[in-house]
Amino acid sequence: MKIKTVIIAIQLILPTLASAEGPCPTSTLCTTSTTTYGNLSYCTSGHSSTCYYLNGVNIPVQTNSCTKCSGTRKLETYKVTSPCTNVTYTDCICENGCTDTEWTAGNTGYEYSVTCGANCDTGRKYRCAKGYYGTSTNGTTGCTRCPSSGGTYGTTAAAGSTAITSCYIPSGTTFSDSTGSGTYTRNCYYTN
């Protein structure tokens, strides 16, 4: 009897799951939790945004579309495959494969990001990683590790610090020297 009950329960659930995807009618329900497709950063004119929702269920999907791109970027049409099966959007892409990236670890002490720009010409920006300070134009020189104290290197609050005064020994770090030992009770910043 238990097997029959389980089969009936599965049969009742499956149609519900199967209907979770399908055509999506337009909606005015877009919110900050909306899933967004398409980037308008390189549209020069004729862009539009449309909101959809799934079969009366509040699962908002927003598409951003362009009709003209800036620079040498080209329009490409994409189809949203889930949850809406009838939604397409256009985006401005680089044919040379250039893709903008967030900050990424590079050489020791350095980070870089790629910015393709309107003409898809790969441009890199560099900054010092966390625990380093300075400026770099090439990702190999210009960043210096924060000084050490008692064998412990200092750090910075975040990547991108340009001055040695951003370096500190973190609170809670223990130290020992010829006069004794102790623990830093607050962040101890480097001073000039």
Side-chain angles (χ1 to χ4, degrees):
M1 194 60 147
K2 287 184 182 183
I3 294 175
K4 191 173 188 179
T5 306
V6 171
I7 291 172
I8 291 170
I10 291 172
Q11 288 173 339
L12 292 173
I13 293 170
L14 284 178
T16 305
L17 295 175
S19 66
E21 293 189 0
C24 293
T26 58
S27 168
T28 57
L29 300 174
C30 283
T31 63
T32 55
S33 63
T34 299
T35 302
T36 303
Y37 297 90
N39 183 344
L40 298 177
S41 297
Y42 296 104
C43 287
T44 57
S45 63
H47 62 275
S48 64
S49 296
T50 307
C51 294
Y52 299 87
Y53 71 98
L54 177 61
N55 298 330
V57 179
N58 189 11
I59 303 175
V61 173
Q62 177 177 340
T63 59
N64 296 320
S65 292
C66 287
T67 55
K68 186 176 180 189
C69 298
S70 59
T72 60
R73 288 184 176 250
K74 149 189 155 175
L75 275 177
E76 186 74 26
T77 301
Y78 297 94
K79 183 173 183 168
V80 177
T81 56
S82 178
C84 302
T85 57
N86 66 322
V87 178
T88 60
Y89 66 96
T90 57
D91 209 349
C92 297
I93 65 160
C94 291
E95 291 184 282
N96 66 358
C98 184
T99 304
D100 291 343
T101 63
E102 297 295 323
W103 289 102
T104 306
N107 293 319
T108 301
Y110 297 86
E111 293 182 348
Y112 69 91
S113 70
V114 175
T115 306
C116 301
N119 293 318
C120 300
D121 49 348
T122 306
R124 283 190 178 211
K125 292 187 277 185
Y126 301 93
R127 70 180 183 184
C128 298
K130 184 175 180 176
Y132 292 77
Y133 68 94
T135 56
S136 180
T137 57
N138 59 13
T140 58
T141 60
C143 294
T144 304
R145 189 170 189 181
C146 287
S148 65
S149 175
T152 300
Y153 281 96
T155 189
T156 56
S161 296
T162 58
I164 194 170
T165 52
S166 297
C167 295
Y168 64 91
I169 301 294
S171 173
T173 302
T174 57
F175 64 89
S176 178
D177 60 23
S178 60
T179 61
S181 61
T183 302
Y184 289 96
T185 57
R186 64 178 178 220
N187 293 341
C188 183
Y189 283 86
Y190 185 91
T191 57
N192 286 329

